[in-house]
Amino acid sequence: MKEELIGQLIFDSIDEAENFYICYAKEEGFDVRRRSMQKKGEVVKNRVWVCNRAGFREENEEGCITQREAKPFTRCGCKASLRVSRDWISGKYIVSRFSNNHNHELHGCMKSYLSPSDKSMLSLMTKIGFKPSQVMHYLEQLAGGAGKLSFRRKAGYNWLNKLRAERIREGDLNTAINNMKDLQVKDERFFYKYSIDEKGILNRLFWCDGSSRAEYDHFGDVLVFDSTYKTNRYLYPLVIFSGVNNHGSTCIFAACFLQNETTESYQWVLQTFLESMGGKIPEAVLTDQDAAMRAAIVSEFVGTRHRICSWHLCRNVRKNIKNSAFCNEFCSLIDRKCSIEDFELSWSNIVEKYNLSNNKWVVDTYGIRDRWAEAFFRAQFMSMMTTTQRAESVNSLIKLSVDHKMTITDFLEHYKRTLQRIRSDFIHMQNLSENQNRGVRESSLKSFDEQALSICTLKIYYIIRKEIRDVLGVIGESRSKNIDGNDVFVYRENKEDDVAMYTVIVDQSSLKFQCDCMKLESEGVPCRHIISSLQYLRFTNFPDNMIKRRWLKEPGMLLRNQFPEASPVADSQELRFGELNKECLILSYVSSQTEYGTSNSMKRVREDVEIAKDELMRQSQCSSVPSPNNKMPDNEPTDEGLEDPPVEKMHTVRDPFRNKTRGAAGGKKQKCGICGVLGHKATTCELKKTKTTPNTNESSTPGENSTQIPESSAIQSNHLASHSQNVQNLGSYGTLAQFPVVFNIPPSSPIVLNMPPNTNGLPLYSPVSYSTVFGVTGMGSLGIENVLGPNTSLLWQQEVCATTGIASNLHQNLGNSSKP
């Protein structure tokens, strides 16, 4: 940029002036340092920036000792600077002094400051979930390899940290709530609600946007909700409400953060959910076996069928019943489509077969069979779901770029992007169902096939088409009339292993169809038996409402017309940036194929960059200088009306402390292989550091670092020469021990305990089994708990001095843990 243009610049703010000078310095090859600033109240009067080599370093006082290594001398009295002053009439900042006189060599880019384009890329990539280190690696690769970046990696990390801190300057939760207030301005149907405790700390936060509420209006007949963990720095569980749309894909209705998972918390969540959804209660709810969830559902969703996830139930049976054959039969019985009577008979058979009628888990699970067995849900519409797998898949999708250190504010941005991807897929599938022309196979049922293709989404069409083609495998056994005058058809499948008979009752006056397989009621689409009946009755199309409306294209068309974009309209600058990036990517790839193309494109790009900068400078200068000549006409539209109305901010919610939840405890604790205690490993066990190897021929001598309590002189004189060489003397105990003493003895090795005389606990040298407590006269009790292996014998020796006491607790470890 020409220097004479810089002296004519006008800036809207101090930050704008600083960003300009930093970018200018980067191109010229020097770094910038702030020097001075004058204020009048809170208003900045003027500010000065200088070259980082301006002035001279001040020497340390004589005798001053510094611990850090002295930095090299870099300042040389450079006079380059920029000064801006406030114009009190316009409120702008004009350049009052500019000097580019450097008394040192300029070394190109100093790699200390990031340009606006660098910051834009860093912000964009971290915003969509990339970790800062991954962003740096990617940008390095684009720049040609390590060390090719136009800035130092440390500068990039520092800027990202500053950006993150600036984003939640007013507090994480305050920022999140303020962002939700802003979203309500852009989306009138956006809903959020939160509650705080007596200390002002947030304990619940619920939200859903307008698109989610519209989806619930069409597809909220079956609700799945599940909780997931480790999605935020406070370890608050995240509850996701989801369902199935007309394409058989997952849609998200709402989300909520909870401080704890109590019945009261879930009741608040469900009450708030109904409030946001206009009071519409789902027909069925699918959850895991959480007792608090169950209690809240019974309380708030009156009349709703509650089903337990079959996958969780199969996992739990394998944890509680260590019989793989029973587990396999149990999991098969969960999804078996049979009558309740057949289910009861099958249950009795497998319980009796494996002798589990008295097992508590089996008894308790049978008591809630109406919440998990398919036999009890055959007539209940469940959107073709029996598990919470969709909720789990949503959880995994959300957690792809989430970790336990993320703020709530950052998580909400990530959650919004996840919704955008899901809705983008929905719009794609809706357009595909509406616009793609497909041929239909010639058959006697072609009219049914064509009708299903024209009104249903592709996913549902494929399901109905399979039923239409399987009509060929249905054999009609009889046709008759019942006492009500309805047609009754009896069918069987043309399969050797299927002897079941299916009865279809047709009421032609009201066009009601009922089949024993209950596919129409449970899935919302006609079965092969009903289609065969329609053929016999000379129907050429499916009756109205035979196919459930939620599976048709119509609800998707209404949603797409109401929300044509997968996400709110992005900032205009971001859209332009994205368009240019796509074109530049093509240019970079094509030009890089040859040396000539690369150099030629580099030359043109640099020229275009200079032209764009000069144009931006002229526009900025023209728009910043108030003049009657460049005043906008009265009838000319301006951008002033496009600004969002001011939103009242809230700054009363305190950020919570790190929470301890059911799912965030860090997984299963490891058990030590030496002492058997949870929480540490054998490599770090204190017992390993202090244990000593016993000698089979003589007593162990207590040392300074031994865990054994030193013996008195009378006891030390006692030897075991008369005993077998396999007997190991553990030593006796001095007066009351203040801690348990742990010995490591290999199995099958006899041991001798030196006891006080006249002990009536055991006769001399009597073998004793483990898990026995023996009373010792006048000395309290000697507890022996889980200390002996199955092949270990215990010998008692009573020839000990009477002045010796005993330890209050004695523990011998043979691989099992024992508590003092």
Side-chain angles (χ1 to χ4, degrees):
M1 179 180 295
K2 297 180 179 180
E3 296 182 7
E4 55 270 17
L5 291 177
I6 296 179
Q8 304 174 9
L9 293 179
I10 300 176
F11 303 100
D12 292 331
S13 64
I14 289 294
D15 291 338
E16 182 181 342
E18 182 174 73
N19 290 334
F20 162 76
Y21 196 51
I22 288 173
C23 295
Y24 172 79
K26 177 182 175 182
E27 294 182 357
E28 292 295 315
F30 66 96
D31 287 346
V32 173
R33 189 175 78 250
R34 295 171 181 170
R35 166 161 283 186
S36 63
M37 178 178 64
Q38 293 183 352
K39 283 187 174 182
K40 184 177 182 180
E42 295 297 325
V43 179
V44 178
K45 294 172 57 179
N46 56 68
R47 176 130 214 176
V48 178
W49 296 271
V50 296
C51 174
N52 71 319
R53 303 189 68 177
F56 299 92
R57 182 195 296 181
E58 295 181 1
E59 297 291 340
N60 290 334
E61 296 180 4
E62 186 176 354
C64 179
I65 301 177
T66 59
Q67 296 182 355
R68 292 185 177 182
E69 185 72 21
K71 294 182 179 180
F73 287 92
T74 57
R75 300 190 183 185
C76 58
C78 180
K79 299 298 183 181
S81 64
L82 173 70
R83 183 180 186 272
V84 296
S85 301
R86 180 180 176 85
D87 183 358
W88 296 98
I89 299 177
S90 64
K92 307 290 184 179
Y93 289 89
I94 61 175
V95 177
S96 57
R97 184 179 71 241
F98 173 72
S99 173
N100 198 32
N101 297 325
H102 297 273
N103 61 355
H104 56 90
E105 183 180 359
L106 300 181
H107 301 285
C109 179
M110 299 297 293
K111 297 186 179 181
S112 292
Y113 292 99
L114 286 80
S115 67
S117 58
D118 294 329
K119 292 180 179 179
S120 178
M121 287 296 294
L122 286 172
S123 176
L124 177 64
M125 296 188 68
T126 53
K127 184 178 179 180
I128 62 176
F130 284 97
K131 295 181 180 179
S133 59
Q134 295 173 328
V135 177
M136 297 301 176
H137 293 324
Y138 172 74
L139 295 180
E140 280 183 341
Q141 189 64 27
L142 288 182
K148 300 293 185 180
L149 281 175
S150 58
F151 58 90
R152 296 189 185 98
R153 292 175 65 101
K154 182 63 175 177
Y157 292 136
N158 290 341
W159 185 80
L160 288 174
N161 290 334
K162 179 181 178 182
L163 183 66
R164 189 180 301 111
E166 180 67 21
R167 189 160 50 241
I168 58 173
R169 181 180 67 253
E170 299 172 347
D172 183 16
L173 270 302
N174 285 321
T175 303
I177 293 173
N178 288 335
N179 290 344
M180 290 182 178
K181 282 182 173 289
D182 293 336
L183 287 174
Q184 277 188 329
V185 176
K186 301 176 182 178
D187 182 359
E188 294 181 354
R189 295 199 66 191
F190 186 91
F191 179 93
Y192 77 95
K193 189 175 182 179
Y194 65 93
S195 66
I196 58 178
D197 60 16
E198 62 279 0
K199 297 180 180 179
I201 297 176
L202 181 130
N203 52 18
R204 303 175 188 121
L205 175 62
F206 177 95
W207 75 95
C208 60
D209 62 3
S211 180
S212 293
R213 298 174 73 181
E215 286 176 326
Y216 184 79
D217 291 339
H218 295 288
F219 312 122
D221 41 12
V222 180
L223 180 66
V224 181
F225 76 96
D226 190 25
S227 55
T228 186
Y229 309 90
K230 298 182 182 180
T231 60
N232 58 91
R233 63 169 57 176
Y234 316 109
L235 295 183
Y236 273 29
L238 172 69
V239 179
I240 299 289
F241 295 84
S242 59
V244 177
N245 60 25
N246 57 337
H247 299 278
S249 300
T250 304
C251 55
I252 298 179
F253 300 136
C256 180
F257 278 118
L258 297 177
Q259 188 180 50
N260 51 58
E261 296 178 277
T262 61
T263 300
E264 181 186 0
S265 294
Y266 279 121
Q267 286 177 335
W268 182 92
V269 170
L270 297 186
Q271 291 170 3
T272 307
F273 180 81
L274 291 179
E275 180 184 351
S276 66
M277 301 303 174
K280 178 181 177 181
I281 298 177
E283 299 175 11
V285 176
L286 190 61
T287 71
D288 59 16
Q289 283 184 272
D290 189 278
M293 282 186 182
R294 167 65 182 173
I297 291 171
V298 173
S299 172
E300 305 302 328
F301 286 171
V302 180
T304 297
R305 289 292 304 275
H306 178 207
R307 184 164 186 170
I308 296 174
C309 169
S310 60
W311 180 86
H312 283 89
L313 207 58
C314 288
R315 184 185 63 175
N316 290 339
V317 70
R318 299 186 189 280
K319 288 182 179 180
N320 293 276
I321 308 298
K322 304 303 180 182
N323 187 321
S324 59
F326 172 81
C327 295
N328 293 334
E329 292 195 37
F330 174 82
C331 294
S332 175
L333 185 59
I334 291 176
D335 298 324
R336 186 180 302 172
K337 297 181 178 180
C338 60
S339 64
I340 296 178
E341 293 76 14
D342 291 340
F343 168 82
E344 297 287 355
L345 180 61
S346 299
W347 177 266
S348 300
N349 291 337
I350 65 171
V351 171
E352 182 179 355
K353 177 180 178 181
Y354 296 101
N355 193 24
L356 293 170
S357 57
N358 295 325
N359 184 278
K360 185 179 185 304
W361 188 89
V362 173
V363 173
D364 293 343
T365 303
Y366 175 74
I368 58 171
R369 60 193 180 280
D370 60 327
R371 279 182 259 156
W372 54 264
E374 177 65 26
F376 291 86
F377 286 90
R378 295 183 64 217
Q380 176 65 49
F381 181 74
M382 290 299 300
S383 297
M384 304 183 187
M385 293 187 295
T386 60
T387 70
T388 57
Q389 180 182 2
R390 292 182 181 274
E392 299 293 342
S393 64
V394 169
N395 293 343
S396 62
L397 179 63
I398 289 176
K399 295 174 71 172
L400 279 177
S401 302
V402 172
D403 58 38
H404 63 280
K405 299 180 181 178
M406 180 172 282
T407 63
I408 297 292
T409 302
D410 289 340
F411 175 85
L412 292 177
E413 289 296 322
H414 176 75
Y415 174 84
K416 184 171 67 174
R417 292 191 299 271
T418 303
L419 282 185
Q420 291 172 5
R421 289 195 292 269
I422 293 176
R423 289 168 184 166
S424 176
D425 292 339
F426 164 76
I427 292 176
H428 171 72
M429 290 185 290
Q430 184 65 30
N431 292 334
L432 199 65
S433 295
E434 293 180 24
N435 302 326
Q436 193 169 20
N437 295 323
R438 292 176 179 268
V440 176
R441 181 184 299 179
E442 290 289 339
S443 67
S444 59
L445 299 173
K446 181 179 179 180
S447 59
F448 293 97
D449 206 335
E450 290 177 337
Q451 182 189 12
L453 180 60
S454 63
I455 65 175
C456 299
T457 61
L458 288 178
K459 174 75 173 181
I460 305 304
Y461 165 70
Y462 293 144
I463 295 175
I464 297 177
R465 186 181 67 178
K466 182 179 183 303
E467 295 296 322
I468 292 174
R469 293 178 179 179
D470 287 345
V471 169
L472 298 176
V474 173
I475 299 176
E477 292 291 327
S478 64
R479 176 185 178 185
S480 60
K481 294 273 188 179
N482 60 13
I483 57 176
D484 297 325
N486 299 327
D487 294 286
V488 179
F489 299 87
V490 179
Y491 300 98
R492 66 179 177 87
E493 302 284 348
N494 188 19
K495 299 178 182 178
E496 295 182 0
D497 58 342
D498 190 354
V499 296
M501 307 294 288
Y502 300 93
T503 301
V504 177
I505 301 176
V506 181
D507 183 356
Q508 294 194 52
S509 60
S510 60
L511 294 179
K512 291 183 178 180
F513 296 77
Q514 183 179 355
C515 179
D516 287 347
C517 72
M518 296 187 178
K519 187 180 185 69
L520 182 62
E521 293 83 0
S522 61
E523 298 185 10
V525 295
C527 62
R528 64 199 71 175
H529 316 111
I530 290 179
I531 296 175
S532 181
S533 300
L534 291 173
Q535 186 181 27
Y536 275 110
L537 295 173
R538 300 183 182 278
F539 279 78
T540 56
N541 289 306
F542 292 114
D544 295 339
N545 300 326
M546 173 166 282
I547 302 174
K548 204 169 182 66
R549 180 181 176 276
R550 67 163 353 267
W551 299 131
L552 305 182
K553 298 177 184 178
E554 180 186 358
M557 294 170 61
L558 295 175
L559 276 174
R560 188 200 53 202
N561 294 336
Q562 186 178 2
F563 300 94
E565 297 290 338
S567 60
V569 178
D571 180 78
S572 56
Q573 187 272 333
E574 290 184 0
L575 291 175
R576 295 191 295 267
F577 182 75
E579 291 295 327
L580 289 172
N581 263 324
K582 288 189 291 185
E583 297 300 326
C584 290
L585 182 62
I586 299 174
L587 173 65
S588 300
Y589 175 76
V590 175
S591 300
S592 64
Q593 302 300 314
T594 62
E595 188 69 33
Y596 172 76
T598 301
S599 59
N600 190 33
S601 296
M602 285 287 290
K603 179 181 178 181
R604 288 183 294 171
V605 166
R606 286 170 177 166
E607 292 175 354
D608 291 341
V609 169
E610 290 298 326
I611 293 174
K613 286 182 178 180
D614 291 340
E615 179 65 23
L616 180 63
M617 184 62 61
R618 283 194 295 269
Q619 291 183 1
S620 175
Q621 184 176 5
C622 292
S623 61
S624 300
V625 179
S627 171
N629 297 329
N630 55 18
K631 182 179 179 181
M632 298 293 294
D634 294 337
N635 58 351
E636 187 72 17
T638 65
D639 293 338
E640 294 180 0
L642 302 179
E643 295 181 359
D644 294 334
V647 178
E648 182 182 356
K649 304 298 182 180
M650 291 283 294
H651 308 300
T652 59
V653 181
R654 292 178 55 191
D655 292 346
F657 299 104
R658 191 174 180 87
N659 195 20
K660 292 184 179 180
T661 64
R662 178 185 63 183
K668 186 177 179 180
K669 292 184 178 180
Q670 189 172 4
K671 181 185 291 186
C672 175
I674 296 179
C675 68
V677 177
L678 296 175
H680 67 272
K681 301 184 295 184
T683 55
T684 59
C685 183
E686 293 294 332
L687 202 58
K688 180 180 179 182
K689 301 176 183 178
T690 58
K691 74 174 183 176
T692 58
T693 304
N695 192 317
T696 58
N697 297 324
E698 58 184 7
S699 301
S700 60
T701 303
E704 183 178 350
N705 297 323
S706 174
T707 59
Q708 183 176 345
I709 299 177
E711 305 176 44
S712 65
S713 58
I715 294 180
Q716 289 177 2
S717 64
N718 177 45
H719 298 285
L720 301 174
S722 61
H723 301 295
S724 169
Q725 293 184 353
N726 292 327
V727 176
Q728 301 178 16
N729 177 24
L730 295 185
S732 60
Y733 294 81
T735 56
L736 187 63
Q738 299 299 325
F739 56 91
V741 181
V742 183
F743 297 93
N744 290 274
I745 307 283
S748 305
S749 300
I751 62 174
V752 171
L753 301 178
N754 295 318
M755 299 297 300
N758 302 321
T759 301
N760 298 322
L762 285 174
L764 187 62
Y765 303 178
S766 297
V768 181
S769 62
Y770 68 96
S771 299
T772 307
V773 179
F774 300 96
V776 183
T777 304
M779 301 300 298
S781 63
L782 175 64
I784 304 176
E785 267 186 274
N786 298 329
V787 295
L788 299 178
N791 299 320
T792 304
S793 62
L794 177 62
L795 300 180
W796 293 70
Q797 183 181 7
Q798 300 176 344
E799 303 168 356
V800 191
C801 176
T803 59
T804 305
I806 63 170
S808 59
N809 293 282
L810 175 67
H811 301 274
Q812 175 190 345
N813 184 291
L814 293 172
N816 297 322
S817 63
S818 60
K819 298 180 180 179

